[in-house]
Amino acid sequence: MTRPLRSAEPRAPRSGGPSRDLRLDLYTAGAAALLVTAAVLIGRHIQDTRHTLLVDWPPAGSWGPHVGPGTPAAVLVATVTVAYGPALAARLPWRTLLPLAWGTSIAWIFSLALIDGWHRGIAGRLTTRNEYLQVIDRFHDIPATLRDFTHHILLHSPDNWPAHIAGHPPAAPLTFVLLDRIGLRGGGWAGVWCITVGATACVAVLVAIRALADERLARRAAPFLVLAPAAVWMGTSADAYFAAVAAWAVALLALAVTRGSLWAAGASGLLFGLTCYLSYGLTLFALIGVAVLLLGRHRVRERPVLLVLLLAGAAVVPMAFTLAGFDWWEAYHLLVTRYYQGAGGIRPYGYWVWANLACTVFITGLATAAGLRRTGAVLVRGRGDALTRPDGARDRAPADARLALLVAAALLALLVADLSGMSKAETERIWLPFAMWLLPAGAFLTRPRAWLTAQAVLALLLNHLLMTGW
């Protein structure tokens, strides 16, 4: 059993005092709030005058104030987590903290989803015309469907796939086909699957932080991962499931490069391969994977077989789908064409390239914006400590720098996705996998309860004021 840590408070930064850092945090959070305000006001103007954003309430969702059966539960979960979360995260045994974080995350996501009611919030989300359950019957012959998959991607092709199916490799819809085959049929089971599996993403991130940085930072990050505003869109979205698969791929890689675990290296590769066949855009998780390999390069040099097993595992899913007749590259190029045949060809890049970042504020919160400022300060202050210290030397400063590098890699992946122009709107859903790796920036903040309160209030306001379907 892991010995409880005595204090969850971070050491004061080397440059500047706590009051100065707090002011800078507040300025950063204020700038993030201004970005959201600008996205709303400018977006409303563009949509009202040009009708090109194709979003009811830019940059996300539709305006619709409401309450529901999940409201009391959501307020209760938020209140308890803010009041007791930081202290429990600091003192509980590690093996107790992980399942508690998972359970609390499930409760938070479910309660927020139930603000919209069972059908609208959970059971009906994955049954709408663009969602995966619409195509279950078309997979009665799975090998034949995979061979024929690319013939239905373009908008004007016969029996073209609905938007979400056309926009993803077939492992995404195939997941729900397999759930249906084992008896977990309908939107209710699909929604429960996405929430339950998606909530494990926070556990995976905690495992990775503990392995790559230290337990102190993982414990500080835990409440921010649990009480994330991203939970508004994790219930119910297939992207929550994608986020969990990608997060466990990174977590297992972190265990492989810090413990020399051969099975973790192979399993990580397997999940990285699956991630790429759940969403084309999640190939950018390779950037986070490279950061993990860089942080654990000493162990990889000692045991190069780890890299061999990682690559071998990563080849399994692509090889299986290729042998089944699905061509990933052909499908991706067809998707680009389909994207510009639809809303992607109408929505203006000049607005969404920065308004997408406002959507990111929605899912990561003002605390993460302030935490990212501190992340940058840690990287500047560290001057390469994260990359020059051997794995065995993990005093506080190098641990901070190692976590900062991991968060920075996730931010880089998100920015590349943004600049690509292949994500205009709906990024509050699409970028959930990247958001999970930005949330740990909250570990660098002082006064965690105040910041957690801001996170909870934002999530509650979003879910009560907006209708967040797609």
Side-chain angles (χ1 to χ4, degrees), residues 163-380:
H164 288 186
I165 292 80
H168 293 82
L174 193 56
T175 297
F176 298 99
V177 171
L178 295 177
L179 285 176
D180 183 83
R181 293 281 177 90
I182 65 173
L184 302 181
R185 299 182 177 89
W189 280 115
V192 169
W193 164 268
C194 289
I195 291 174
T196 306
V197 175
T200 68
C202 74
V203 178
V205 176
L206 291 176
V207 169
I209 295 172
R210 184 176 187 248
L212 293 170
D214 67 9
E215 189 173 314
R216 173 188 65 93
L217 286 169
R219 289 174 177 275
R220 286 189 57 80
F224 291 96
L225 284 159
V226 167
L227 209 60
V232 173
W233 286 274
M234 293 183 78
T236 301
S237 166
D239 294 86
Y241 156 56
F242 304 162
V245 175
W248 281 109
V250 175
L252 288 170
L253 182 57
L255 293 177
V257 301
T258 55
R259 299 182 181 179
S261 172
L262 299 182
W263 75 265
S268 172
L270 186 67
L271 291 182
F272 268 117
L274 176 59
T275 297
C276 295
Y277 277 72
L278 289 171
S279 174
Y280 297 103
L282 295 186
T283 54
L284 290 171
F285 256 74
L287 294 172
I288 304 176
V290 168
V292 174
L293 290 173
L294 192 60
L295 290 170
R297 71 192 186 285
H298 302 285
R299 185 60 60 87
V300 175
R301 286 174 181 171
E302 293 171 0
R303 303 192 72 182
V305 68
L306 292 171
L307 190 58
V308 174
L309 289 173
L310 173 69
L311 295 175
V316 172
V317 172
M319 185 178 297
F321 275 96
T322 300
L323 291 175
F326 173 74
D327 188 326
W328 192 97
W329 284 105
E330 178 189 7
Y332 175 72
H333 289 301
L334 290 170
L335 165 64
V336 173
T337 301
R338 165 72 180 260
Y339 182 73
Y340 286 101
Q341 286 178 332
I346 300 172
R347 288 171 171 157
Y349 179 86
Y351 171 79
W352 287 109
V353 73
W354 61 271
N356 282 338
L357 301 180
C359 292
T360 305
V361 175
F362 281 157
I363 57 177
T364 60
L366 299 180
T368 301
L372 288 175
R373 185 204 69 79
R374 294 217 179 202
T375 299
V378 168
L379 288 175
V380 171

Side-chain angles (χ1 to χ4, degrees), residues 59-222:
S62 303
W63 183 257
H66 62 288
V67 295
T71 297
V75 173
L76 178 62
V77 172
T79 302
V80 171
T81 304
V82 169
Y84 300 105
L88 288 175
R91 297 186 179 93
L92 284 175
W94 181 253
R95 291 183 180 180
T96 303
L97 175 60
L98 293 183
L100 179 63
W102 181 33
T104 307
S105 181
I106 290 175
W108 179 231
I109 298 170
F110 260 114
S111 61
L112 288 171
L114 289 173
I115 291 172
D116 296 340
W118 169 255
H119 179 76
R120 183 188 288 272
I122 297 176
R125 283 292 181 94
L126 295 172
T127 63
T128 58
R129 64 186 182 89
N130 287 321
E131 286 286 1
Y132 301 99
L133 268 63
Q134 288 292 322
V135 301
I136 296 294
D137 293 341
R138 293 177 63 175
F139 280 79
H140 62 278
D141 185 340
I142 292 176
T145 303
L146 292 178
R147 289 193 298 270
D148 198 43
F149 193 89
T150 56
H151 298 153
H152 305 286
I153 292 177
L154 295 180
L155 193 59
H156 302 300
S157 60
D159 297 322
N160 64 80
W161 295 116
H164 288 186
I165 292 80
H168 293 82
L174 193 56
T175 297
F176 298 99
V177 171
L178 295 177
L179 285 176
D180 183 83
R181 293 281 177 90
I182 65 173
L184 302 181
R185 299 182 177 89
W189 280 115
V192 169
W193 164 268
C194 289
I195 291 174
T196 306
V197 175
T200 68
C202 74
V203 178
V205 176
L206 291 176
V207 169
I209 295 172
R210 184 176 187 248
L212 293 170
D214 67 9
E215 189 173 314
R216 173 188 65 93
L217 286 169
R219 289 174 177 275
R220 286 189 57 80

